[in-house]
Amino acid sequence: MDTQELHLPRSRRANERLHAMIPGGAHTYAKGDDQYPDNLAPVISHGRGAHVWDIDGNRYVEYGSGLRSVSLGHAHPRVIEAVRRELDRGSNFVRPSIVEVEAAERFLATVPTAEMVKFAKNGSDATTAAVRLARAATGRPRVAICADHPFFSVDDWFIGTTPMSAGIPAATNELTVAFPYGDLAATEELLTRYQDEVACLILEPATHTEPPPGYLAGLRELADRHGCVLIFDEMITGFRWSEAGAQGLYGVVPDLSTFGKALGNGFAVSALAGRRDLMERGGLRHSGDRVFLLSTTHGAETHSLAAAMAVLTTYVEEGVTARLHALGERLAAGVRDAAASTGVGDHLVVRGRASNLVFATLDENGQPSQQYRTLFLRRLLAGGVLAPSFVVSSALDDADIDHTVEVVAQACAVYRKALDAADPTPWLAGRPVKPVFRRLA
């Protein structure tokens, strides 16, 4: 058995302190120590570029930085400079700052398929605001979510559909229905079954697979024909698919769309964007009933909007999306070669668009396995790679990719041993990692 180990005594103690004061030991469930092998959840000291350091002094090449939000790398000079400039000028006032005008203009110039935009702090607020607008505009109660996409909001209309539905009334859950991605016939059947009841269709325009030909355009037609609002959740696809988001890449314009994550390079900023007639329902220049739309004390903090403007400018001027794709293609090719050469090419599977790669760990029967994921993550961490996914940032360089592939190859050799034994348990050294959404702890 491979005896290489990583010891994190300071991180382990810090995790205990976190759990003593913070429910779940983290402020985002996906960052929880249950997502990592037993006693191998590093607590981070700092990061720069594509690297982070834990409080035990270990350095890692990091993927999926900030849950995909840090796409330019940590402490990006252009972003930090813009933020510092605003911090010296005050961050929050009793009236809008001129920065709000400039940020909105920059966003709408980058995402020209939208006509208006409103900023907030997190993605859940933006998606819930989109749902509220859709219900107000249509007078309909039901929300249709894509069943194949893992997350839309912390709010009741979505969380009630997950295994972590405690605290959500059944009456609320009944108002959310689901449709499968890529299946127009099934979606039309749903809209027909709930004729004149569905306010909106909400989905990620793409995830680990490309949309089938004509699918997004077909959804656009269905939404128009059935009188419901089409909402694209572009929290992940925004800027990673193209500078104008997935809607810019695929040429299908939703009624509303939501952005976040990459928009601030780690700073807290999200956006709801879309058609003027819908967005204006949350404004003052209409005669209908007003919609309470994203009224947030901190939604327009000047430094976060400055970060967003710097991100948008950097993406456009430096061709960041193309770089993300190039780095991802190099990484995917290397990982697939390493897996194939060690005989686990059918078990360690890289999926997704090059700018948004994930990996699946399959057991000897080809089924998804948390145990094999645990084995794989242990070996990555021991080799200095922190990778809950293989989502790249533009701060990575060829040496980082080469190092990652080398560590993956070493991990795959252990993976092969476990497959041959038909039992990964000896390589786990503790409980397996756990899925985020589960009913019991």
Side-chain angles (χ1 to χ4, degrees):
M1 187 189 306
D2 189 336
T3 58
Q4 182 186 19
E5 289 294 340
L6 178 69
H7 299 286
L8 303 175
R10 291 180 180 176
S11 291
R12 185 173 180 178
R13 290 194 295 271
N15 276 312
E16 288 302 313
R17 291 165 60 196
L18 284 164
H19 278 282
M21 296 178 288
I22 300 166
H27 286 92
T28 313
Y29 282 116
K31 295 184 181 182
D33 59 359
D34 60 337
Q35 303 300 294
Y36 293 84
D38 224 1
N39 298 320
L40 287 185
V43 174
I44 304 303
S45 164
H46 62 288
R48 183 163 296 276
H51 301 119
V52 295
W53 287 258
D54 66 25
I55 59 174
D56 292 281
N58 301 295
R59 186 181 85 154
Y60 306 87
V61 179
E62 188 192 46
Y63 293 89
S65 303
L67 302 181
R68 295 181 172 91
S69 67
V70 183
S71 61
L72 299 177
H74 298 291
H76 186 274
R78 194 169 191 169
V79 176
I80 296 302
E81 180 186 357
V83 168
R84 285 201 180 108
R85 185 167 59 248
E86 292 305 325
L87 288 177
D88 287 338
R89 293 160 51 84
S91 62
N92 206 333
F93 313 107
V94 76
R95 278 282 294 146
S97 161
I98 190 63
V99 176
E100 297 177 47
V101 179
E102 296 165 349
E105 289 174 342
R106 186 72 53 83
F107 180 92
L108 293 172
T110 309
V111 187
T113 41
E115 295 176 326
M116 297 187 84
V117 62
K118 194 159 190 183
F119 296 111
K121 281 299 181 197
N122 63 71
S124 293
D125 284 351
T127 53
T128 292
V131 166
R132 187 181 300 129
L133 273 181
R135 282 172 160 162
T138 62
R140 299 174 179 181
R142 295 189 188 274
V143 178
I145 65 172
C146 183
D148 300 307
H149 297 164
F151 187 78
F152 289 107
S153 175
V154 301
D155 293 297
D156 290 4
W157 61 270
F158 173 72
I159 285 297
T161 70
T162 75
M164 295 176 70
S165 61
I168 313 300
T172 298
N173 297 342
E174 290 167 3
L175 293 177
T176 300
V177 295
F179 62 93
Y181 188 80
D183 190 336
L184 290 173
T187 306
E188 181 159 29
E189 190 278 328
L190 181 78
L191 292 172
T192 301
R193 187 190 330 154
Y194 297 107
Q195 187 72 40
D196 298 329
E197 294 183 35
V198 175
C200 60
L201 301 170
I202 183 168
L203 73 157
E204 295 180 65
T207 53
H208 308 318
T209 58
E210 287 293 290
Y215 173 62
L216 295 178
L219 275 184
R220 174 72 277 171
E221 190 275 330
L222 274 180
D224 290 339
R225 181 149 48 87
H226 286 268
C228 55
V229 176
L230 181 62
I231 304 170
F232 282 176
D233 178 342
E234 294 233 41
M235 292 295 158
I236 293 173
T237 57
F239 315 116
R240 282 192 180 273
W241 261 239
S242 82
E243 280 77 9
Q247 58 195 275
L249 178 65
Y250 300 124
V252 176
V253 181
D255 299 303
L256 298 170
S257 53
T258 58
F259 292 80
K261 294 195 182 288
L263 179 58
N265 201 52
F267 286 92
V269 60
S270 63
L272 169 65
R275 278 172 33 200
R276 180 175 302 277
D277 62 313
L278 287 173
M279 294 289 289
E280 192 60 83
R281 286 177 173 265
L284 301 175
R285 297 184 175 183
H286 69 97
S287 58
D289 290 343
R290 294 181 63 196
V291 175
F292 193 88
L293 183 67
L294 288 174
S295 183
T296 53
T297 299
H298 302 290
E301 283 178 323
T302 56
H303 58 273
S304 291
L305 293 184
M309 285 192 284
V311 168
L312 293 169
T313 301
T314 301
Y315 261 77
V316 172
E317 292 185 0
E318 298 184 11
V320 171
T321 304
R323 175 166 174 77
L324 293 175
H325 282 90
L327 287 165
E329 287 166 1
R330 181 185 176 97
L331 176 64
V335 170
R336 286 169 180 146
D337 286 347
S341 65
T342 50
V344 297
D346 293 331
H347 301 273
L348 176 66
V349 182
V350 179
R351 296 171 175 159
R353 194 170 183 86
S355 60
N356 189 54
L357 296 171
V358 298
F359 58 83
T361 50
L362 309 181
D363 64 17
E364 52 274 8
N365 299 313
Q367 297 301 307
S369 168
Q370 294 295 102
Q371 289 186 307
Y372 279 97
R373 180 176 174 85
T374 307
L375 174 157
F376 187 63
L377 289 176
R378 287 188 69 86
R379 305 274 45 93
L380 292 187
L381 287 163
V385 176
L386 181 57
S389 69
F390 282 144
V391 176
V392 297
S393 75
S394 65
L396 291 159
D397 59 25
D398 288 348
D400 293 322
I401 301 292
D402 292 345
H403 172 72
T404 302
V405 171
E406 180 182 339
V407 173
V408 166
Q410 296 167 2
C412 287
V414 179
Y415 205 131
R416 183 66 259 172
K417 293 178 185 178
L419 287 169
D420 290 341
D423 180 15
T425 306
W427 287 272
L428 300 188
R431 54 114 182 105
V433 299
K434 300 181 180 180
V436 171
F437 288 113
R438 59 187 193 274
R439 190 170 67 87
L440 301 175

